[in-house]
Amino acid sequence: MLIKLVDVKDYSDWRRLIIKKLMLSDELNADLLVQLQERDRLGSIQVDEHVIMPHVVSNKLPKSWLIISQVDRPIKYGTSNDITTGIYIFSRPKDSSISSSVDCLTDESVMKALQNPKLSYQQLMDLLRVG
């Protein structure tokens, strides 16, 4: 899923907006938000100069999602003031489709392409080799 967002206030707002896009119950949304916050406390989720990869694994999810999200202007995360791309992963345990997509993301050219603000959904599918 590719989600482009405008007027994101901060990282906390970004997380909330992404979870809302999943269209789950309020209870599950709240649980996912807590899990993302707990993951942040464990250490940095920044995986490239302008990219973060927040992730949650939960058997409460009805299915898995890999969401590439881009914001219209850079936001602050940790010590970086210029995060523009989030790779949000909400996975059921042992989901091989998510694992293979994440493996693809280790390629430096893929990571750079994900930061292109003009990235289209079809280009994303081509990058992840699922389209």
Side-chain angles (χ1 to χ4, degrees):
M1 183 183 304
L2 177 63
I3 299 175
K4 297 188 183 246
L5 296 170
V6 295
D7 297 327
V8 174
K9 296 176 190 109
D10 54 27
Y11 174 56
S12 183
D13 188 40
W14 197 2
R15 284 187 306 214
R16 186 186 56 74
L17 291 169
I18 291 298
I19 290 171
K20 187 175 178 181
K21 295 282 186 184
L22 300 177
M23 297 173 51
L24 301 168
S25 70
D26 289 346
E27 181 180 337
L28 187 50
N29 284 354
D31 185 50
L32 291 176
L33 186 56
V34 166
Q35 288 186 54
L36 284 176
Q37 291 166 338
E38 288 174 1
R39 174 56 192 93
D40 280 335
R41 282 191 280 279
L42 293 175
S44 178
I45 56 170
Q46 188 168 352
V47 295
D48 199 66
E49 185 178 5
H50 306 287
V51 183
I52 55 174
M53 190 184 300
H55 52 285
V56 168
V57 177
S58 173
N59 59 7
K60 294 179 183 178
L61 292 167
K63 66 179 190 174
S64 296
W65 287 272
L66 187 143
I67 301 169
I68 307 299
S69 178
Q70 298 173 324
V71 291
D72 63 330
R73 63 182 181 271
I75 64 160
K76 180 173 177 54
Y77 172 78
T79 59
S80 176
N81 288 319
D82 57 356
I83 299 297
T84 58
T85 304
I87 303 166
Y88 287 82
I89 300 168
F90 300 95
S91 179
R92 295 202 33 84
K94 300 178 184 176
D95 185 333
S96 61
S97 66
I98 293 292
S99 300
S100 61
S101 293
V102 171
D103 288 345
C104 174
L105 295 172
T106 61
D107 184 292
E108 190 174 325
S109 64
V110 171
M111 190 62 68
K112 292 297 176 200
L114 292 176
Q115 297 173 61
N116 175 358
K118 295 182 180 180
L119 181 70
S120 71
Y121 181 76
Q122 186 57 52
Q123 289 169 318
L124 174 61
M125 294 298 101
D126 292 344
L127 282 171
L128 299 178
R129 296 172 186 83
V130 285

